[in-house]
């Protein structure tokens, strides 16, 4: 009986310790961005690439994984723009006109 109670008491801790990280996904649809242009996410510097994608039919998708929620830059060289994001392993949709 004590063994069963001990297992039931430890079960929540074991479940919380499981790594369920699926990573992040950023879906973007930005009007005016050139077809086949590069879009990428960078960490501390523009050369620290976390994820990259090519624009197809005005849309792009970036996928990757963060160890922790962190600040990152979304760079859009085709329209000379950048966006600072505070992001973790979550799904994000960006739409701009």
């Amino acid at each position: 009986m004590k063994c069963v109670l001990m297992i039931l008491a430890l079960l929540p801790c074991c479940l919380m310790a499981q790594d369920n990280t699926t990573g992040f996904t950023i879906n973007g649809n930005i009007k005016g961005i050139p077809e086949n242009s590069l879009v990428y996410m960078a960490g501390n510097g523009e050369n620290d690439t976390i994820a990259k994608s090519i624009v197809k039919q005005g849309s792009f998708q970036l996928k990757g994984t963060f160890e922790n929620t962190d600040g990152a830059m979304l760079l859009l060289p085709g329209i000379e723009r950048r966006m600072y994001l505070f992001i973790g392993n979550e799904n994000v949709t960006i739409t701009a006109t």
Side-chain angles (χ1 to χ4, degrees):
M1 182 68 172
K2 287 182 181 181
C3 184
V4 172
L5 289 176
M6 181 69 81
I7 290 172
L8 289 175
L10 293 175
L11 186 61
C13 295
C14 294
L15 292 175
M16 288 188 301
Q18 297 296 316
D19 184 16
N20 293 327
T21 304
T22 58
F24 68 86
T25 302
I26 299 175
N27 292 302
N29 188 339
I30 300 176
K31 186 175 180 178
I33 192 165
E35 192 73 11
N36 296 318
S37 63
L38 177 67
V39 175
Y40 67 100
M41 167 106 27
N44 294 328
E46 290 183 25
N47 297 326
D48 181 20
T49 303
I50 297 168
K52 62 183 176 179
S53 179
I54 301 294
V55 175
K56 300 287 183 196
Q57 298 177 346
S59 299
F60 63 89
Q61 184 177 68
L62 298 168
K63 289 187 173 193
T65 304
F66 286 109
E67 290 182 22
N68 299 307
T69 301
D70 203 357
M73 286 187 291
L74 178 64
L75 293 116
L76 308 150
I79 55 173
E80 298 179 3
R81 297 280 187 250
R82 68 179 64 184
M83 185 181 314
Y84 295 94
L85 304 173
F86 190 71
I87 186 171
N89 292 314
E90 54 205 346
N91 296 327
V92 176
T93 300
I94 298 172
T95 304
T97 56

